[in-house]
């Protein structure tokens, strides 16, 4: 007999690990995880990124090695970002388009190494390759203002996507938030016969301060910000428009980025999207957990798994995360 008359006792289903696992509604799996990787030109060996402990600028050789480690842990996809030599940057980011540019070289070697066993995704954006650090080309608008030009930029994205398809990318991923980028890339790929190369669209990408460590990771030349092309953190509705447009334009998968500060947006997109919805746990989200763990303020493994579970629970089908290998290993126990 209990003192109070409590017949509904939700704690019953929390009593044991077996009971909790029985009723668990969200399950992470290693194949949900996509590992972003950086490959840098002119390195003798991989170099750790100070603000992202355990993450590196890779050489093509160490990139292959980490690809194998990811695959062995059960991760099925890597997303490659190129870091060119400083002297190869220019106003148009042409090193990103050239066949012998670092990203295209890396794509070619990774596809040769892994074939179709590991899905090779390419970042399709100019910011790593431009000397001003913007995601597109600069020019002057009708009012005489300096702007990042939309249509001239998407022309370059189409060429970049073609070069990446030729280099062996299974997926190209336009991340520059230019209008019409998915349509223009899809048309260029189809015209050249690359029907089977998929597009993961960075559809709802916010102008976020959580990208800070990424700028170290790619040696970004950006001064200023990207607020004239990435979304305002205050807005949710336009994410639905961006997702809708990208799907109409031919996106095979859409993405919300960053993840944890935008779980509301992710949840909304996930309810209505007819294509897979990915979320990107960005560099700052990774760096925060590591920094707090280094201070002894948070437990790294538990916060890592909780953050990924919350992103999945909000509706993500895939999660791009720098924790991919660690989390996959933790899932194996
Ligand atoms: C730009 C790009 C960025 C990231 C991925 N692609 C940076 C930006 O938009 O400023 C950020 C990823 C991260 O922070 O982990 N092409």
């Amino acid at each position: 007999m209990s003192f109070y008359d409590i017949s509904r006792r939700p704690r019953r289903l929390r009593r044991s690990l077996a009971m909790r696992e029985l009723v668990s509604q969200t399950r992470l799996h290693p194949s949900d995880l996509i590992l972003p990787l950086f490959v840098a030109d002119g390195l003798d060996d991989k170099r750790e990124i100070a603000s992202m402990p355990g993450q590196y600028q890779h050489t093509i050789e160490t990139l292959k090695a980490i690809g194998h480690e990811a695959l062995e842990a059960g991760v099925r996809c890597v997303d490659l970002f190129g870091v060119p030599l400083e002297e190869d940057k220019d106003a148009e980011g042409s090193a990103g388009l050239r066949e012998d540019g670092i990203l295209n070289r890396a794509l070619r070697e990774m596809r040769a190494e892994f074939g179709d066993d590991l899905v090779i995704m390419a970042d399709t954006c100019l910011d790593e390759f431009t000397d001003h650090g913007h995601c597109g080309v600069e020019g002057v608008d009708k009012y005489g203002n300096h702007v990042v030009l939309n249509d001239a930029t998407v022309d370059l994205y189409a060429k970049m996507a073609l070069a990446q398809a030729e280099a062996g990318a299974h997926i190209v991923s336009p991340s520059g938030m230019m209008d019409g980028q998915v349509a223009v890339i899809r048309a260029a790929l189809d015209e050249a016969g690359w029907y089977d190369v998929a597009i993961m669209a960075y559809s709802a990408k916010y102008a976020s301060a959580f990208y800070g460590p990424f700028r170290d990771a790619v040696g970004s030349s950006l001064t200023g910000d990207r607020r004239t092309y990435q979304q305002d953190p205050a807005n949710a509705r336009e994410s639905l428009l961006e997702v809708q447009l990208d799907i109409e334009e031919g996106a095979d998968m859409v993405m919300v980025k960053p993840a944890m500060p935008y779980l509301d947006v992710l949840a909304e997109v996930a309810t209505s999207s007819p294509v897979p919805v990915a979320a990107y746990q960005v560099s700052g989200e990774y760096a925060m957990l590591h920094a707090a763990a280094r201070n002894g303020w948070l437990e790294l493994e538990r916060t890592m798994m909780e953050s990924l579970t919350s992103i999945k629970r909000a509706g993500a089908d895939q999660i791009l995360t720098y924790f991919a290998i660690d989390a996959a290993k933790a899932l194996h126990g």
Side-chain angles (χ1 to χ4, degrees):
M1 245 311 262
S2 84
F3 184 76
Y4 298 106
D5 180 19
I6 302 171
S7 57
R8 298 310 312 241
R9 292 181 182 270
R11 287 184 56 187
R12 285 181 196 121
L13 301 188
R14 301 177 197 142
R15 273 194 67 249
S16 66
L17 179 61
M19 186 68 92
R20 290 192 295 274
E21 287 189 350
L22 177 72
V23 300
S24 168
Q25 296 173 8
T26 305
R27 289 173 213 275
L28 285 170
H29 191 272
S31 57
D32 302 329
L33 307 174
I34 298 174
L35 176 64
L37 290 169
F38 304 101
V39 58
D41 208 351
L43 291 186
D44 296 327
D45 200 358
K46 66 179 182 180
R47 191 163 71 195
E48 193 168 21
I49 299 157
S51 50
M52 300 176 72
Q55 301 301 312
Y56 297 84
Q57 289 188 344
H58 285 281
T59 67
I60 289 180
E61 283 316 304
T62 68
L63 188 71
K64 288 185 200 166
I66 194 87
H68 283 289
E69 202 184 324
L71 189 54
E72 270 154 40
V75 173
R76 308 298 298 186
C77 182
V78 294
D79 181 17
L80 305 189
F81 293 88
V83 184
L85 295 173
E86 216 41 53
E87 66 252 35
D88 286 341
K89 294 183 179 181
D90 60 22
E92 268 84 47
S94 54
L97 280 62
R98 284 206 312 268
E99 190 184 318
D100 66 349
I102 181 63
L103 180 54
N104 291 328
R105 259 159 44 216
L107 288 167
R108 199 164 273 113
E109 296 230 19
M110 288 291 276
R111 183 66 187 265
E113 182 81 7
F114 293 99
D116 288 338
D117 292 340
L118 185 65
V119 177
I120 313 291
M121 177 153 78
D123 184 58
T124 312
C125 191
L126 295 170
D127 63 307
E128 289 96 38
F129 302 97
T130 53
D131 53 15
H132 45 73
H134 276 296
C135 294
V137 288
E138 292 181 310
V140 177
D141 71 6
K142 284 269 199 204
Y143 306 98
N145 298 319
H146 261 278
V147 294
V148 174
L149 297 172
N150 193 86
D151 299 18
T153 297
V154 292
D155 284 344
L156 295 179
Y157 287 174
K159 295 195 176 93
M160 187 175 198
L162 273 181
Q164 294 174 339
E166 278 157 21
H170 295 98
I171 305 180
V172 297
S173 59
S175 62
M177 291 300 281
M178 297 297 136
D179 295 336
Q181 60 186 10
V182 172
V184 173
I185 287 173
R186 186 70 269 160
L189 290 173
D190 287 352
E191 202 193 340
W194 297 106
Y195 310 109
D196 292 329
V197 171
I199 300 176
M200 176 181 280
Y202 282 64
S203 300
K205 179 173 178 182
Y206 285 86
S208 173
F210 288 96
Y211 306 147
F214 177 93
R215 310 253 166 105
D216 287 348
V218 299
S220 172
S221 307
L222 185 71
T223 54
D225 60 57
R226 306 194 197 285
R227 285 179 218 195
T228 65
Y229 44 104
Q230 297 179 346
Q231 287 176 237
D232 184 339
N235 298 347
R237 287 191 209 291
E238 66 185 277
S239 287
L240 298 179
L241 176 61
E242 290 281 6
V243 165
Q244 184 192 333
L245 290 173
D246 282 353
I247 293 172
E248 284 166 13
E249 290 177 28
D252 299 285
M253 309 163 96
V254 295
M255 189 210 292
V256 174
K257 177 183 177 183
M260 276 235 286
Y262 297 88
L263 291 183
D264 57 331
V265 173
L266 173 61
E268 244 188 292
V269 169
T271 358
S272 61
S273 173
V275 302
V277 177
Y280 198 140
Q281 182 181 51
V282 301
S283 56
E285 298 177 71
Y286 177 86
M288 294 197 287
L289 297 190
H290 268 280
R294 284 196 165 181
N295 277 301
W297 295 342
L298 288 176
E299 279 179 59
L300 187 60
E301 183 168 318
R302 288 186 58 204
T303 50
M304 165 179 83
M305 296 313 277
E306 187 176 332
S307 65
L308 294 170
T309 300
S310 64
I311 294 165
K312 182 107 194 253
R313 190 195 62 232
D317 300 305
Q318 294 79 31
I319 305 172
L320 292 100
T321 174
Y322 302 98
F323 286 121
I325 292 179
D326 295 338
K329 286 183 178 165
L331 287 168
H332 294 303

